[in-house]
Amino acid sequence: MSHQPDSSRYEKMKYQRCGKSGVLLPRISLGLWHNFGDVDSLQTMRGLIHHAFDLGITHFDLANNYGPPPGSAELNFGRILREDLASYRDEMIISTKAGYWMYPGPYGEWGSRKYLTASLDASLKRMGLDYVDIFYHHRPDPNTPLEETMGALDHAVRQGKALYAGISSYQPEDTRKAAAILRKLGTPCLIHQPSYNMLNRWIENGLTTVLEEEGIGCIPFCPLAQGQLTDRYLKDIPKDSRAGKGGFLKAPDVEKNLPKVRLLNAIAEKRGQPLAEMAIAWVLRLPAVTSALIGASSTAQLDTNVKSLQHLEFSPEELAEIDKILKAK
């Protein structure tokens, strides 16, 4: 079922240059970490991809282990792309990653050339692609030499299996080292994907400075803190929520953060926008941040997240008030 995208999609989205590269990324990108596995509805996935593209979201972010089961998000995305949007491939930025556990044995995770090369080949096969636009090392490997891991990213680009190289969750010092290695190899580091939101501000302690100095883009994931920075948990913890199900997000953490979240929600109300919109706008306030990587389970969530782009400005007083809330013990 071929999809005819909205002809005005590029008028709906704001785009920003990624670091010092020639790539423009949408200020909101769609991640397929959740809701795209075989346990999910293909019809819902299809609707999300179609609607995202209609909104001008051109960047779709995956990883080899997204599912469940691992690999199924790439398979499902590849099917939707092939059946519905194949003629629009050149209008998309598609990324994938390798680094976390994917299969048994000594070559199924971390950062060896063996694992990264095999993983990318498998990802391309699952998605039915000749290349991805960005190939990331998904997490730092404390035991593999950085030269080997960055060399594998460079090799992927030189093979034509990826157009750009990226890293995820690297600390400032290792980010600078990785950037230097890649630059020497002739494959500059395009982008860094860290976790970042109002409740998790670690990148402000040196990483954003490194990224700006190195000319590397930044695309934070979890800008809504797994749903904590929405109206989802303002009253209680629903049983069908992520915290209620006891996955990555734990109920005690939600309860601990609730006083701050309620105060932040009050600021959002004064700004005339939902908390989720304000939280995304806050992430995008940093000059180093190119795009916010969001997840979604419905087209309504996509609309809300994209609507944040209509109100990105913060007054100095608002930023100070938010900062005071976040730093309170």
Side-chain angles (χ1 to χ4, degrees):
M1 50 179 289
S2 180
H3 176 64
Q4 184 62 47
D6 189 327
S7 60
S8 65
R9 60 191 178 279
Y10 295 124
E11 299 166 19
K12 299 178 181 180
M13 178 56 60
K14 298 178 187 293
Y15 299 87
Q16 184 154 309
R17 191 164 304 280
C18 187
K20 294 181 180 178
S21 76
V23 178
L24 294 174
L25 290 183
R27 300 235 67 192
I28 302 291
S29 297
L30 181 62
L32 279 63
W33 180 16
H34 297 291
N35 306 314
F36 284 84
D38 284 348
V39 298
D40 302 297
S41 162
L42 183 64
Q43 182 178 356
T44 299
M45 297 178 216
R46 181 169 263 128
L48 286 168
I49 296 294
H50 292 182
H51 194 61
F53 198 53
D54 286 345
L55 291 172
I57 294 175
T58 53
H59 182 204
F60 300 91
D61 180 79
L62 298 105
N64 59 352
N65 64 334
Y66 287 176
S72 59
E74 290 181 328
L75 282 167
N76 291 322
F77 176 76
R79 175 179 175 179
I80 294 166
L81 181 64
R82 180 176 66 254
E83 295 179 357
D84 304 355
L85 294 164
S87 61
Y88 298 94
R89 168 65 181 98
D90 290 341
E91 296 182 39
M92 296 179 181
I93 297 288
I94 299 171
S95 61
T96 195
K97 316 176 200 72
Y100 282 97
W101 188 93
M102 186 61 186
Y103 44 82
Y107 320 118
E109 64 178 327
W110 294 111
S112 70
R113 184 182 180 109
K114 166 72 173 175
Y115 171 53
L116 295 184
T117 300
S119 177
L120 179 55
D121 285 344
S123 290
L124 293 174
K125 185 176 181 180
R126 282 190 289 267
M127 290 188 282
L129 298 175
D130 295 323
Y131 70 94
V132 290
D133 297 276
I134 307 170
F135 183 44
Y136 288 89
H137 184 221
H138 206 166
R139 61 169 171 172
D141 182 345
N143 298 312
T144 299
L146 196 55
E147 289 79 6
E148 178 177 343
T149 303
M150 295 306 106
L153 296 181
D154 171 68
H155 181 65
V157 171
R158 292 184 182 281
Q159 283 186 311
K161 295 178 180 179
L163 300 186
Y164 299 93
I167 56 177
S168 178
S169 302
Y170 274 56
Q171 293 294 319
E173 183 179 352
D174 284 338
T175 296
R176 198 181 293 278
K177 290 178 181 177
I181 294 168
L182 285 169
R183 188 183 303 111
K184 187 175 181 180
L185 291 169
T187 300
C189 184
L190 173 75
I191 193 166
H192 187 299
Q193 188 176 130
S195 60
Y196 179 58
N197 54 63
M198 287 176 159
L199 303 176
N200 178 17
R201 302 177 65 177
W202 74 274
I203 72 170
E204 296 174 21
N205 297 322
L207 181 61
T208 54
T209 299
V210 171
L211 297 180
E212 290 186 73
E213 291 175 353
E214 297 287 344
I216 298 171
C218 181
I219 180 167
F221 66 91
C222 289
L224 300 179
Q226 295 279 302
Q228 291 185 83
L229 295 168
T230 69
D231 60 6
R232 183 73 158 142
Y233 300 105
L234 287 176
K235 294 182 179 178
D236 55 23
I237 300 177
K239 291 182 179 180
D240 64 344
S241 65
R242 289 183 186 176
K245 294 176 180 178
F248 285 98
L249 186 61
K250 308 298 182 185
D253 294 327
V254 174
E255 292 166 354
K256 179 183 176 182
N257 290 324
L258 234 134
K260 290 183 179 181
V261 171
R262 286 173 176 152
L263 291 172
L264 293 169
N265 185 64
I267 297 176
E269 288 179 345
K270 286 190 289 185
R271 283 169 54 85
Q273 62 183 164
L275 176 57
E277 289 181 27
M278 185 181 81
I280 291 173
W282 184 87
V283 164
L284 291 172
R285 85 198 188 285
L286 292 180
V289 173
T290 310
S291 177
L293 184 60
I294 57 99
S297 59
S298 68
T299 55
Q301 285 184 355
L302 279 174
D303 288 334
T304 293
N305 293 338
V306 170
K307 194 177 177 183
S308 65
L309 302 179
Q310 298 176 14
H311 192 180
L312 292 175
E313 299 76 20
F314 288 87
S315 70
E317 292 75 20
E318 286 173 330
L319 289 175
E321 189 176 358
I322 290 171
D323 205 47
K324 183 179 179 180
I325 291 169
L326 297 178
K327 290 181 177 179
K329 300 296 184 182

